[in-house]
Amino acid sequence: MKPVCLVLGAGAGIGGTVATKFAQEGYHSCLCRRSDQDGLDRLVSNIEEKGGSASGYLMNAIEENVLEDLILNIEKDVGPIEVLVYNLGAQTGMKLLNETTLKEFEWGWRMADLGLFRVAKILMPIMEERGSGTFLVTSATAAMRGNKNQHSHAAAMGGRRMLCQTLNAEFAPKGIHVAHIVVDGMVDAPDTLGKMLGEELFKQLRETKGMEHDGLVLPESVAETYYYLSQQHRSAWSHEVDIRAFSDTAWWNS
Amino acid sequence: MKPVCLVLGAGAGIGGTVATKFAQEGYHSCLCRRSDQDGLDRLVSNIEEKGGSASGYLMNAIEENVLEDLILNIEKDVGPIEVLVYNLGAQTGMKLLNETTLKEFEWGWRMADLGLFRVAKILMPIMEERGSGTFLVTSATAAMRGNKNQHSHAAAMGGRRMLCQTLNAEFAPKGIHVAHIVVDGMVDAPDTLGKMLGEELFKQLRETKGMEHDGLVLPESVAETYYYLSQQHRSAWSHEVDIRAFSDTAWWNS
Amino acid sequence: MKPVCLVLGAGAGIGGTVATKFAQEGYHSCLCRRSDQDGLDRLVSNIEEKGGSASGYLMNAIEENVLEDLILNIEKDVGPIEVLVYNLGAQTGMKLLNETTLKEFEWGWRMADLGLFRVAKILMPIMEERGSGTFLVTSATAAMRGNKNQHSHAAAMGGRRMLCQTLNAEFAPKGIHVAHIVVDGMVDAPDTLGKMLGEELFKQLRETKGMEHDGLVLPESVAETYYYLSQQHRSAWSHEVDIRAFSDTAWWNS
Amino acid sequence: MKPVCLVLGAGAGIGGTVATKFAQEGYHSCLCRRSDQDGLDRLVSNIEEKGGSASGYLMNAIEENVLEDLILNIEKDVGPIEVLVYNLGAQTGMKLLNETTLKEFEWGWRMADLGLFRVAKILMPIMEERGSGTFLVTSATAAMRGNKNQHSHAAAMGGRRMLCQTLNAEFAPKGIHVAHIVVDGMVDAPDTLGKMLGEELFKQLRETKGMEHDGLVLPESVAETYYYLSQQHRSAWSHEVDIRAFSDTAWWNS
């Protein structure tokens, strides 16, 4: 039975690409996303065509018991979840305070924080019993500082960062590696950046900044770092790692 | 009509003492807390006996519309809220992951983040129209780093810190001073520390560390800093200020 | 005998203005600067005309034994130095790596770090014996993050920030208040910003951003915060405080 | 001609081990250290016995022109320095302020900051012309916060961190990857930890915390991360990475 890498938020960007990478390295990847059965099937097929092993799950992770059931079922039917990739985005767009609704604010928290807490509640005891496991949590610039049109996103990601620290503090000594990965820049991903910008603008950005310019963060490159983190020896774990395109300005610079 | 200082979370610690300070300095203080009508009445009486002006409100701030109605009513009936002190605590106690319930995790967020967001939604536009105002937000060590038994608290306060930054980024240029005040240590307050420790332990701690030793943070001293921040000239505002007893170790030291 | 406030780096900006504020509040201010005897005399005269007490010292602080002798002489002849304001700037201008010389890099360190270390070496034991004292250290955005044309300045100020933390960690429990004040923006000061920009540009900037716009940090406002910090009760000291004009972008925002 | 990995500070800990790793991966490793010709020869022999290629240099890096000449000579005689590992330690031991001399304070800065600046001055233009290169800078907890007995070390490493940021800000867009690696814990290294603790204590610590407990940071594990960082694709570079043993407390936790 292969070890399992469960990716929550497995779209055609970081999530799906990380799932593909772990499958290539010998894991069975479980891809979970909210919508687009076709896209999900394509990701699974691509993995299988390359000789990997994967399964797809279409579900709304933030609904009651969905995450809990998924994890227990995979543990029972598929294999031990050795790597958990928490990749649920919580971006509600660039909105000033009067444009941000209570509902958006709550949704951000459910995606960024409550979901991660629920996953930890159910999966940490299982990993603890095995004495090992890896939690890779995708995060964003907004976890490090709050810009004016990020009220929902920054509050959500600031909470996520602190939650990663509390989980690391409790569970690293028990053999579970928790990493908070700050993706500090635009990712070349049709499912997120593409949808936010619209097709035309996204195409243009890819041509001027992405592609051979390497100015957009490539999911394939990010996946390498995720995989690397999962393989670090426990005598030298990294907890917080930032990632950005070489030509981009770091969040702390102006 | 006096300018109003509205304190949300006005117990017998930082909140009530800050309200008292602002009343002494010429504001009408509105004290809002969830429980203990007697304690609330005592705070208001004490303020009035010293020649100040105050009113008390007993209510559960995180219930729907409570904060919104309170603010609108004060603006209509009492006076312009020039200073808002957001002092709702979100501490659920020292608990490991398996001791922390979903309900506690959600409650922490409601107190720390959603409440502040709701207050900002209703009050920022009013202050913006006046071109001035002050938001003083009490925060905690857990906003800066996450310890292992602080899953709910740290996620909540990490979100609060980022929300303060987004509010500051949008509203400081409009004349509204937002300050995130990191109280990094135990506060000599019967309503919070006293309840957490129990009467006997609290008494003992006051005798060995507090009182003439000044090793517990005194609400009266904190209130001086809150008042000072509200008076800073807009050419030199502080956004993040830490506070701790001289003999305490800063959160970043070991 | 009045308590002494010694200001190192007392030009016509933050330093001189802080010295003036402390003199107005009952301290004898000792103003120390490297050049411009006339400017120094003017500052002292202004203080005395307002009924304050002050003395001026023209010297190159980073020369061997200069700081040490100055402090010992003041302690012997003028009074106990209760407040030390370390305001020596270390800015060498906006320069890329190939424009920054070894000499500038070293000078930055001598001004920002070695000078502060030398002052602490000589003054901390004196304050420790008295069981009290205040160290107010002016710092800059470059202490928090390094921009591309700040190689010398950022290395210098990053060191200064950490040194303030080590001093605080050792001496706060002994009653000595150390504060690291991050002035995060341009200061309306002819001796520093004025010289960097040139007369014409400085005049223009004052008219469009400073003056009634309050968009440049006013030394008078900064001085209020320095004085406030010196008066904080030891049960609630602040160690790190940021200061910026309301209309400016915080260093962490973009 | 093999690409060169130059390691400054190549003792029997992180430095020598990183040099060995890069040699195994196809680089020619240049090992530079201040003392112990025998130790240096052993490191080079070990590399060669494993089929790698290396050369050793015994020199005092902080002497005038030593670093500059070394780099130019390697570029001329050995090959292009594609990877620079700046691993000069600046630890002067746990000393309170009155135990820390001016000389130690200056030495810390020379090792931590001036040396790195000098290397950057000479090597960055060379790398810039090639359009690529990697700067891996070993750093320490003291770069992130200052403890009471770290006056020299923290000031030095705080400067180093900011310098890494300024270098990254200027040179990342030119294709040069600068990484600041915070080794947040004790390293299982006889040349540094061993010397600091003494033979007996070091042996004891290895038995109770290190070895099969993996509670000391293993240089071999660190070397994996250094190598990984050098191979990251430029669309997804990491600038700041922390490293600690799984069972250790992160610097921000208490």
Side-chain angles (χ1 to χ4, degrees):
Chain A
M1 196 159 57
K2 287 184 170 187
V4 170
C5 168
L6 168 58
V7 179
L8 298 171
I14 289 176
T17 312
V18 167
T20 305
K21 171 71 181 172
F22 276 88
Q24 286 170 331
E25 298 288 347
Y27 288 77
H28 177 91
S29 284
C30 293
L31 294 82
C32 176
R33 60 192 286 179
R34 193 174 27 171
S35 59
D36 188 3
Q37 182 74 54
D38 283 357
L40 180 59
D41 293 344
R42 254 195 320 276
L43 281 167
V44 171
S45 306
N46 283 345
I47 289 173
E48 290 171 342
E49 277 163 25
K50 291 177 188 163
S53 148
S55 39
Y57 306 84
L58 205 69
M59 50 182 58
N60 188 350
I62 64 176
E63 277 178 14
E64 211 172 335
N65 292 323
V66 163
L67 286 166
E68 290 79 357
D69 292 346
L70 174 71
I71 287 168
L72 293 178
N73 287 337
I74 290 174
E75 282 279 336
K76 186 158 61 76
D77 301 334
V78 187
I81 302 172
E82 289 196 359
V83 178
L84 183 280
V85 178
Y86 194 86
N87 191 53
L88 297 182
Q91 179 59 274
T92 55
M94 310 297 231
K95 294 179 180 174
L96 296 177
L97 185 63
N98 68 0
E99 301 163 327
T100 313
T101 63
L102 291 188
K103 213 174 145 181
E104 286 168 322
F105 192 79
E106 177 163 348
W107 178 82
W109 168 72
R110 286 192 183 278
M111 296 294 280
D113 302 335
L114 182 63
L116 177 58
F117 179 73
R118 285 167 54 196
V119 168
K121 286 280 288 180
I122 197 89
L123 189 51
M124 282 297 190
I126 297 172
M127 287 182 169
E128 186 180 346
E129 206 165 310
R130 288 197 282 262
S132 68
T134 302
F135 254 69
L136 302 174
V137 183
T138 306
S139 191
T141 317
M144 310 305 283
R145 64 97 189 275
N147 272 350
K148 68 179 174 183
N149 46 22
Q150 295 283 290
H151 301 292
S152 167
H153 195 222
M157 300 312 267
R160 183 182 280 190
R161 183 175 182 235
M162 285 302 106
L163 183 53
C164 286
Q165 290 191 3
T166 64
L167 294 173
N168 177 66
E170 181 172 349
F171 293 100
K174 296 174 172 173
I176 300 163
H177 185 182
V178 180
H180 179 253
I181 305 154
V182 182
V183 181
D184 183 27
M186 288 184 291
V187 179
D188 186 4
D191 278 7
T192 46
L193 185 62
K195 278 181 187 158
M196 193 151 71
L197 296 177
E199 202 176 323
E200 193 48 45
L201 218 67
F202 180 53
K203 182 162 168 283
Q204 198 180 308
L205 192 73
R206 294 194 76 212
E207 279 163 8
T208 55
K209 190 178 163 77
M211 296 170 73
E212 79 269 26
H213 308 290
D214 295 330
L216 295 175
V217 174
L218 290 178
E220 289 73 18
S221 311
V222 174
E224 295 292 328
T225 290
Y226 278 57
Y227 181 70
Y228 174 70
L229 288 171
S230 76
Q231 303 301 308
Q232 280 185 318
H233 186 259
R234 68 177 188 160
S235 74
W237 279 350
S238 300
H239 172 69
E240 189 160 87
V241 174
D242 57 344
I243 287 179
R244 71 184 60 77
F246 78 107
S247 53
D248 246 3
T249 305
W251 67 262
W252 57 79
N253 289 125
S254 66
Chain B
M1 195 159 59
K2 287 183 169 186
V4 170
C5 169
L6 167 59
V7 179
L8 299 171
I14 290 176
T17 313
V18 167
T20 305
K21 170 71 181 172
F22 276 87
Q24 287 170 331
E25 299 288 347
Y27 289 77
H28 178 90
S29 284
C30 294
L31 294 83
C32 175
R33 60 192 284 179
R34 192 173 29 169
S35 58
D36 188 3
Q37 183 76 53
D38 283 357
L40 180 59
D41 292 345
R42 254 193 322 275
L43 281 166
V44 171
S45 305
N46 284 345
I47 289 173
E48 290 171 341
E49 278 162 24
K50 291 176 188 165
S53 148
S55 39
Y57 305 84
L58 205 70
M59 51 182 58
N60 189 350
I62 63 175
E63 277 177 15
E64 211 172 335
N65 291 326
V66 163
L67 286 165
E68 290 78 358
D69 291 347
L70 174 70
I71 287 169
L72 293 178
N73 287 336
I74 291 174
E75 282 279 334
K76 186 157 60 74
D77 301 334
V78 187
I81 302 172
E82 290 197 358
V83 178
L84 183 280
V85 178
Y86 193 87
N87 190 53
L88 297 182
Q91 179 58 274
T92 55
M94 310 298 230
K95 294 179 179 175
L96 296 177
L97 186 63
N98 69 0
E99 301 163 326
T100 314
T101 63
L102 290 190
K103 212 171 145 183
E104 286 168 322
F105 192 79
E106 176 163 349
W107 178 83
W109 168 74
R110 286 192 182 277
M111 296 294 280
D113 302 337
L114 182 62
L116 177 57
F117 179 72
R118 285 167 55 197
V119 168
K121 286 280 288 180
I122 196 89
L123 189 52
M124 282 298 190
I126 297 172
M127 288 182 168
E128 185 181 346
E129 206 165 309
R130 288 197 282 263
S132 69
T134 302
F135 253 70
L136 302 174
V137 183
T138 306
S139 191
T141 317
M144 310 304 283
R145 64 96 190 275
N147 272 351
K148 68 179 174 182
N149 47 21
Q150 294 284 289
H151 301 291
S152 167
H153 195 222
M157 298 312 267
R160 183 182 281 190
R161 183 175 182 233
M162 284 302 106
L163 183 54
C164 286
Q165 290 192 3
T166 63
L167 293 174
N168 177 66
E170 180 171 349
F171 292 100
K174 296 175 172 172
I176 300 163
H177 185 182
V178 179
H180 179 253
I181 304 154
V182 182
V183 181
D184 182 28
M186 289 183 291
V187 179
D188 186 4
D191 278 7
T192 46
L193 186 63
K195 278 181 187 158
M196 192 152 71
L197 295 177
E199 203 176 323
E200 195 48 45
L201 218 66
F202 180 52
K203 183 161 165 285
Q204 199 180 310
L205 192 72
R206 295 195 75 211
E207 280 164 6
T208 55
K209 190 177 162 79
M211 297 171 73
E212 77 270 29
H213 307 289
D214 296 329
L216 296 175
V217 174
L218 291 179
E220 289 73 19
S221 312
V222 174
E224 296 292 327
T225 291
Y226 277 58
Y227 181 70
Y228 175 70
L229 289 170
S230 76
Q231 304 302 307
Q232 281 186 317
H233 187 260
R234 67 177 189 162
S235 73
W237 278 350
S238 301
H239 172 69
E240 189 159 270
V241 174
D242 57 345
I243 287 179
R244 70 184 60 77
F246 78 107
S247 53
D248 247 2
T249 306
W251 68 261
W252 58 79
N253 289 126
S254 66
Chain C
M1 195 160 59
K2 286 183 171 187
V4 170
C5 169
L6 167 59
V7 180
L8 299 171
I14 289 176
T17 312
V18 168
T20 304
K21 170 72 182 171
F22 275 87
Q24 287 170 329
E25 299 287 347
Y27 289 77
H28 178 90
S29 285
C30 293
L31 294 81
C32 176
R33 60 192 285 178
R34 193 173 28 171
S35 58
D36 187 4
Q37 183 75 54
D38 283 357
L40 180 59
D41 293 344
R42 253 194 324 273
L43 280 167
V44 172
S45 306
N46 284 344
I47 289 173
E48 291 170 341
E49 278 162 23
K50 292 177 186 164
S53 149
S55 40
Y57 306 83
L58 206 68
M59 50 183 57
N60 188 349
I62 64 175
E63 277 177 14
E64 211 171 335
N65 291 325
V66 164
L67 286 166
E68 291 79 357
D69 291 347
L70 173 71
I71 287 167
L72 293 177
N73 287 336
I74 291 174
E75 282 279 335
K76 186 158 59 75
D77 302 333
V78 187
I81 302 172
E82 289 197 359
V83 178
L84 183 281
V85 178
Y86 193 86
N87 189 53
L88 297 182
Q91 179 60 275
T92 56
M94 310 298 230
K95 293 178 181 176
L96 295 177
L97 186 63
N98 71 359
E99 302 163 325
T100 313
T101 64
L102 290 188
K103 210 172 149 183
E104 286 169 320
F105 192 80
E106 176 163 349
W107 178 83
W109 169 74
R110 287 192 181 278
M111 296 293 279
D113 302 337
L114 182 62
L116 177 57
F117 179 74
R118 286 168 54 198
V119 168
K121 286 281 287 180
I122 197 87
L123 189 51
M124 281 298 188
I126 298 172
M127 287 182 169
E128 185 180 347
E129 206 165 309
R130 287 197 283 261
S132 69
T134 302
F135 253 70
L136 302 173
V137 182
T138 305
S139 190
T141 316
M144 310 305 283
R145 65 97 190 275
N147 272 350
K148 69 179 173 183
N149 47 22
Q150 294 285 290
H151 300 292
S152 167
H153 195 223
M157 299 311 267
R160 182 182 283 191
R161 183 175 182 234
M162 285 301 106
L163 183 53
C164 285
Q165 291 191 3
T166 64
L167 294 174
N168 177 66
E170 181 172 349
F171 293 100
K174 295 174 173 174
I176 300 162
H177 186 181
V178 180
H180 178 255
I181 304 155
V182 182
V183 182
D184 182 28
M186 289 184 291
V187 180
D188 186 5
D191 277 8
T192 46
L193 185 62
K195 277 182 186 157
M196 193 152 71
L197 295 177
E199 201 176 325
E200 194 48 44
L201 218 65
F202 180 52
K203 183 162 167 285
Q204 197 181 309
L205 191 71
R206 295 194 76 213
E207 280 162 6
T208 55
K209 191 179 161 76
M211 297 171 74
E212 78 269 27
H213 308 288
D214 295 329
L216 295 176
V217 174
L218 291 179
E220 290 74 16
S221 311
V222 174
E224 296 291 328
T225 291
Y226 278 57
Y227 181 70
Y228 175 71
L229 289 170
S230 76
Q231 303 302 307
Q232 280 186 318
H233 186 259
R234 68 177 188 161
S235 74
W237 278 350
S238 301
H239 172 69
E240 188 158 89
V241 174
D242 56 345
I243 286 178
R244 70 186 60 78
F246 78 106
S247 53
D248 247 4
T249 305
W251 67 262
W252 57 79
N253 289 124
S254 67
Chain D
M1 196 161 56
K2 287 183 170 188
V4 170
C5 169
L6 167 58
V7 180
L8 299 171
I14 289 176
T17 312
V18 168
T20 305
K21 170 73 183 171
F22 275 88
Q24 286 170 330
E25 299 288 346
Y27 289 77
H28 178 92
S29 284
C30 293
L31 293 81
C32 176
R33 59 192 287 179
R34 192 173 30 170
S35 60
D36 187 4
Q37 182 75 55
D38 284 356
L40 180 60
D41 293 345
R42 252 195 322 274
L43 280 167
V44 171
S45 307
N46 283 345
I47 288 173
E48 289 171 341
E49 278 163 23
K50 292 178 189 164
S53 148
S55 40
Y57 305 83
L58 207 69
M59 50 182 59
N60 189 350
I62 64 176
E63 276 177 15
E64 212 172 335
N65 291 324
V66 164
L67 286 165
E68 290 79 357
D69 291 347
L70 174 71
I71 287 168
L72 293 177
N73 287 337
I74 290 174
E75 283 279 335
K76 186 158 59 74
D77 301 334
V78 187
I81 303 171
E82 289 196 358
V83 178
L84 182 281
V85 178
Y86 193 87
N87 189 54
L88 297 182
Q91 180 60 275
T92 55
M94 310 298 231
K95 293 179 180 175
L96 296 176
L97 185 64
N98 70 358
E99 302 164 326
T100 313
T101 64
L102 290 189
K103 211 172 146 184
E104 286 169 321
F105 192 80
E106 176 162 349
W107 178 84
W109 168 73
R110 286 191 183 278
M111 296 292 280
D113 302 336
L114 182 62
L116 177 57
F117 179 73
R118 286 168 54 198
V119 169
K121 286 280 288 179
I122 196 87
L123 189 51
M124 281 298 188
I126 298 172
M127 288 183 169
E128 186 180 346
E129 206 166 310
R130 288 197 282 262
S132 68
T134 302
F135 253 70
L136 302 173
V137 182
T138 306
S139 190
T141 316
M144 310 303 284
R145 64 96 190 273
N147 272 350
K148 69 179 173 182
N149 47 23
Q150 295 284 292
H151 301 292
S152 168
H153 194 223
M157 299 311 267
R160 182 182 283 190
R161 183 175 182 234
M162 285 300 107
L163 183 54
C164 285
Q165 290 191 4
T166 64
L167 294 173
N168 177 65
E170 181 171 349
F171 293 101
K174 294 174 173 172
I176 300 162
H177 186 181
V178 179
H180 178 252
I181 304 155
V182 182
V183 181
D184 182 27
M186 290 183 290
V187 180
D188 186 4
D191 278 7
T192 46
L193 185 63
K195 277 181 187 158
M196 192 153 71
L197 296 177
E199 200 176 325
E200 194 48 44
L201 218 65
F202 180 53
K203 182 162 166 284
Q204 198 180 311
L205 192 71
R206 295 194 74 212
E207 280 163 8
T208 55
K209 191 178 161 78
M211 298 172 72
E212 79 270 27
H213 308 289
D214 295 328
L216 295 175
V217 174
L218 291 178
E220 289 74 17
S221 311
V222 174
E224 295 292 327
T225 291
Y226 278 57
Y227 181 70
Y228 175 71
L229 289 170
S230 78
Q231 303 302 308
Q232 281 186 317
H233 186 258
R234 67 177 188 161
S235 74
W237 279 352
S238 301
H239 172 69
E240 189 159 270
V241 174
D242 56 345
I243 287 179
R244 71 185 60 77
F246 78 106
S247 54
D248 247 3
T249 305
W251 68 263
W252 58 80
N253 289 124
S254 66

